[in-house]
Amino acid sequence: MSGDPEKPESPERAAVAAFADDFLTGLREWLAIPSIGVDPAHHGDVAASAHWLADALRRDGWSDVRVWDEGPALPAVYACRPAADPDAPTVLVYGHHDVQPVDPVEQWHHPPFEATVIGEELFGRGASDDKGQVAMHLLGMRAHLAATGAEHPAVTVKLFVEGEEESGSPHLTRLLDDHRDDLACDLVVFTDTPLYGRDAPTVCTGQRGVYGAEVVFTGGTSEVHSGRAGGSVPNPATAIARLVAALHDEDGRVRLPGFYTDVIEPTAAERADYAALPFDEAEWLANAGGAQGVAGEPGWSTLERVWVRPTAEVNGIHGGYTGPGLKTVVPARASVKLSFRLVPDQRPERVADALREFVARHTPAGLHAEVVPSGDGAPPYAVDVSHPAVGAVRDAVQAAFDQPVRFSRTGGSGPAALLHGWLGVPVVYLGATLPDDRIHAPNERVVVPLLLRGAEAAARLWRLLPERLS
């Protein structure tokens, strides 16, 4: 992060600095709660996490704070901080307080739920994804009020922090429907995305969607000796291998029928921003599981392949004998697990239809095929970069980080499209973590100075939005 030593410190930055120690103390306390939403044994901890956040909001002076603990959904937290002007814009900040499991725990350098500070880094499950960024917005509100000297923010700010994002948000639609009036807003600020780099801050403008399924080929009722029937009956494992081989053409393009029909390409300005970002292939590969080289669709950079191009990936192939030695059989069953990352305006249901058609075309006679979806999937989302709220976020981040800010996207998926469709308003992104924060992995961390700059950006954003959205 750069800065001008002769430039006077802004009131937002001074306020963030004044509250920084208290912010860090509170965040470490919250991170100690093991709110692992995907594990039923920790559902009580998810509830404890929700109540911790609700209590913190009340201490900060949020006037309407509720824990939504209803039906099968894990507890979510709602809060509102109204503007003095009833005609001011209303902004909904979205985040989540559930966290991923910590396995394999033996690979952690420090206990995952004993938040540990080493230099500028804070280690602990949820530090980056997503408790750190939710806490960043609490700090941003405190800084905004201190910087303006006002009792109320310049915009009405609502906070919606769900407890099931790491489980795929299975009850989010129900929460949005049950609390439509509470969540009504003019803009959503989504706070679960990273910067491109510590010295290359960016504003995210979109996320890919996802659809997953397992394709199962079944032949006989049991495996059979290959000397007795090999070459005379269809082999499900061979058929699965052929289906996988047919999934991409020689250029790496996906061969599902109509797969690219709905794809909207990024603008020339966005592609120019991507190209201007610093990219070190060796460093990128080191953070990509130690891959030995890049590959993918011709005509697109590595970043573009990850951010704005759709993909089909084989996640696992199963079938036949895989133990030690040789067992000469024709398997009765084989399967492949596939996932598709989608870009605007692809839809999971259309990809599901295309996959079924593709499988039908590649099912040999004598085999039964079944396509088993892993859920409904999540659609992609990208905000129009010319929207004035996107410009406001960019200006706020530039001012907070003291350097020019470019646009980026993220290759992962989330509920931004669902929020956009259900609430009927644009979704913009404000995050301050890094791609190498090891989210979902051992030794998750967050860089504390980045969270402080993110809080400053949020404090500035609330001041900018009334004019930009008028």
Side-chain angles (χ1 to χ4, degrees):
M1 294 178 292
S2 62
D4 183 352
E6 298 183 0
K7 183 179 179 180
E9 186 175 56
S10 72
E12 287 88 359
R13 185 167 300 172
V16 167
F19 298 134
D21 289 344
D22 184 53
F23 160 77
L24 188 57
T25 298
L27 177 56
R28 294 179 69 181
E29 183 179 306
W30 195 18
L31 293 177
I33 303 174
S35 51
I36 305 172
V38 300
D39 184 350
H42 284 280
H43 285 183
D45 295 313
V46 178
S49 172
H51 285 283
W52 185 96
L53 176 58
D55 289 343
L57 288 162
R58 293 185 185 103
R59 286 195 301 270
D60 281 357
W62 292 67
S63 58
D64 184 5
V65 180
R66 286 172 264 165
V67 175
W68 290 338
D69 187 3
E70 42 200 59
L74 293 175
V77 178
Y78 167 83
C80 180
R81 194 96 189 218
D85 181 0
D87 295 324
T90 296
V91 182
L92 177 70
V93 176
Y94 166 86
H96 66 91
H97 68 98
D98 59 319
V99 301
Q100 280 279 321
V102 297
D103 306 278
V105 69
E106 66 273 8
Q107 293 186 13
W108 285 79
H109 299 155
H110 311 280
F113 295 108
E114 293 180 17
T116 303
V117 178
I118 300 178
E120 294 184 335
E121 299 179 332
L122 172 63
F123 292 85
R125 178 58 90 222
S128 179
D129 182 25
D130 184 37
K131 289 179 178 178
Q133 299 204 83
V134 172
M136 175 186 84
H137 277 279
L138 272 64
L139 175 58
M141 176 57 71
R142 293 180 70 185
H144 170 66
L145 296 174
T148 59
E151 293 184 10
H152 300 279
V155 293
T156 291
V157 179
K158 298 178 178 180
L159 187 68
F160 173 48
V161 184
E162 69 159 316
E164 297 185 316
E165 194 274 344
E166 301 293 6
S167 305
S169 302
H171 302 102
L172 180 56
T173 298
R174 175 175 174 174
L175 284 172
L176 294 172
D177 193 36
D178 289 348
H179 300 284
R180 188 182 297 268
D181 291 341
D182 291 321
L183 299 173
C185 58
D186 301 300
L187 180 73
V188 173
V189 172
F190 194 99
T191 184
D192 190 15
T193 52
L195 307 165
Y196 177 72
R198 180 164 183 167
D199 295 318
T202 52
V203 170
C204 180
T205 62
Q207 295 174 286
R208 291 194 294 186
V210 65
Y211 174 75
E214 183 176 16
V215 179
V216 182
F217 282 166
T218 305
T221 56
S222 64
E223 62 183 29
V224 62
H225 192 292
S226 64
R228 174 180 176 82
S232 300
V233 295
N235 187 314
T238 301
I240 281 290
R242 287 175 174 161
L243 180 137
V244 169
L247 189 59
H248 299 87
D249 67 16
E250 59 275 9
D251 288 328
R253 287 174 62 86
V254 181
R255 299 179 70 181
L256 266 61
F259 187 71
Y260 294 92
T261 300
D262 297 325
V263 170
I264 296 177
E265 296 186 0
T267 65
E270 287 176 287
R271 294 194 71 180
D273 264 12
Y274 307 156
L277 290 169
F279 180 77
D280 183 310
E281 182 176 298
E283 181 180 347
W284 186 87
L285 287 169
N287 289 306
Q292 300 303 300
V294 299
E297 191 179 354
W300 299 90
S301 70
T302 298
L303 292 180
E304 289 173 328
R305 290 168 184 161
V306 173
W307 291 345
V308 299
R309 299 306 293 165
T311 65
E313 294 296 339
V314 175
N315 307 129
I317 300 178
H318 311 269
Y321 180 70
T322 59
L326 181 65
K327 186 180 183 185
T328 54
V329 296
V330 176
R333 181 183 186 277
S335 65
V336 59
K337 292 181 182 289
L338 303 171
S339 64
F340 301 85
R341 293 290 174 173
L342 314 179
V343 299
D345 268 343
Q346 293 177 305
R347 290 295 177 265
E349 61 272 16
R350 295 183 186 177
V351 173
D353 290 342
L355 177 60
R356 284 190 289 269
E357 182 179 342
F358 177 81
V359 170
R361 291 180 183 178
H362 292 84
T363 303
L367 293 183
H368 171 73
E370 185 180 11
V371 179
V372 183
S374 60
D376 294 333
Y381 177 77
V383 66
D384 181 353
V385 296
S386 66
H387 193 282
V390 177
V393 174
R394 190 174 191 171
D395 289 348
V397 174
Q398 285 186 156
F401 282 81
D402 294 320
Q403 58 183 297
V405 167
R406 300 188 182 278
F407 291 132
S408 66
R409 294 199 196 179
T410 178
S413 305
L418 179 60
L419 294 167
H420 167 68
W422 212 261
L423 300 174
V425 299
V427 178
V428 297
Y429 297 85
L430 177 55
T433 58
L434 294 174
D436 60 353
D437 278 344
R438 296 182 290 277
I439 65 171
H440 296 201
N443 303 306
E444 179 180 350
R445 65 93 201 259
V446 73
V447 179
V448 175
L450 294 184
L451 283 186
L452 300 181
R453 292 296 176 98
E456 180 186 341
R460 291 173 178 271
L461 179 62
W462 307 145
R463 179 166 49 82
L464 292 174
L465 282 177
E467 180 181 346
R468 302 294 178 90
L469 297 182
S470 61

